[in-house]
Amino acid sequence: MLILFDTITDEGQRKKIEDMYVKYSRDMFKVAYNILNDYQLAQDAVQSAFINIINYIEKISDYDCNKIRALVVIIVRNISINMYNKIKRQKNLFIEDADEFFHDDSEPFDEKIINSDIFRRVSEKVKELKTEYTDIISLKYYYGYSNKDIANLLNITEDNVRVRLYRARQSLKNALYEYKGDVEI
């Protein structure tokens, strides 16, 4: 990370990036680690996020506010998801993994397939929602933030969080019904 800081020639911008790193890197790492479940990959995601932030640092005036915190969390989340999807596509299904999947009797095989398929469909539909709905659903259900934390992150009231969550869930429900037709999910 030090090499990255050395590439910034403007002393004011360097100080701003260093302060942002100190202030937000822990939260960013937690978000990345929750997605990637790998320490090194999570660190890479945080560094990639800061590379993106450096490209737009002159547009950031006040880095000590909830909007910037939400921004850096969303940036690292998107980078982490992209990394996860790339890794997932690159991995081959090994025979041992397939054996574990088929021989794990904790859940019936058909339910495993149905549950993974439903999760995939719901994830696809969440990505198709409005950005504000995608973000609030992700913060609430994927990252486990409370309404109060989300309100602080997005700099909105808790009532607004509840309204957005309700609208996001309704939007998702409608999208899933359109996808599935009259069959209940």
Side-chain angles (χ1 to χ4, degrees):
M1 202 65 193
L2 292 174
I3 295 171
L4 182 62
F5 291 149
D6 287 339
T7 62
I8 304 169
T9 55
D10 184 349
E11 192 62 35
Q13 289 181 352
R14 181 181 301 149
K15 174 75 170 126
K16 194 184 295 186
I17 286 291
E18 288 174 354
D19 290 346
M20 285 177 68
Y21 184 81
V22 168
K23 185 165 182 74
Y24 300 118
S25 62
R26 179 176 283 157
D27 291 337
M28 293 170 72
F29 179 82
K30 287 178 186 177
V31 169
Y33 188 81
N34 283 336
I35 295 169
L36 298 167
N37 292 322
D38 183 276
Y39 184 84
Q40 298 298 327
L41 290 174
Q43 285 184 327
D44 291 345
V46 171
Q47 287 183 6
S48 295
F50 271 100
I51 290 170
N52 288 351
I53 293 167
I54 286 172
N55 292 331
Y56 298 100
I57 193 65
E58 65 276 350
K59 294 181 181 180
I60 299 173
S61 58
D62 181 19
Y63 60 87
D64 192 18
C65 68
N66 288 331
K67 286 184 181 180
I68 298 302
R69 182 170 184 241
L71 174 70
V72 297
V73 166
I74 288 170
I75 289 171
V76 79
R77 180 198 72 207
N78 290 340
I79 288 172
S80 299
I81 289 170
N82 289 342
M83 288 174 72
Y84 176 79
N85 288 336
K86 184 176 180 180
I87 291 166
K88 189 175 166 185
R89 280 191 303 270
Q90 290 174 346
K91 284 187 176 180
N92 292 326
L93 180 62
F94 293 103
I95 301 299
E96 298 83 27
D97 294 337
D99 272 344
E100 283 181 30
F101 183 76
F102 290 121
H103 294 303
D104 178 16
D105 293 332
S106 64
E107 182 178 31
F109 178 71
D110 55 344
E111 285 184 29
K112 282 187 219 178
I113 292 173
I114 290 169
N115 289 341
S116 65
D117 190 43
I118 288 172
F119 179 77
R120 182 186 53 76
R121 285 188 211 151
V122 170
S123 296
E124 288 171 2
K125 291 302 174 184
V126 166
K127 290 176 189 174
E128 293 173 8
L129 297 176
K130 290 167 121 179
T131 305
E132 67 182 28
Y133 293 165
T134 302
D135 289 343
I136 206 151
I137 285 176
S138 297
L139 290 171
K140 179 70 174 180
Y141 299 108
Y142 190 75
Y143 299 116
Y145 284 107
S146 68
N147 287 359
K148 184 177 181 179
D149 291 337
I150 294 171
N152 289 333
L153 257 175
L154 300 179
N155 201 23
I156 59 178
T157 65
E158 284 187 62
D159 289 335
N160 198 335
V161 170
R162 282 190 288 277
V163 168
R164 284 190 191 180
L165 277 170
Y166 174 79
R167 289 178 181 165
R169 285 190 298 257
Q170 289 303 108
S171 224
L172 178 60
K173 185 178 177 181
N174 291 338
L176 289 170
Y177 280 126
E178 286 173 11
Y179 177 80
K180 195 69 173 166
D182 293 331
V183 180
E184 209 169 296
I185 296 177

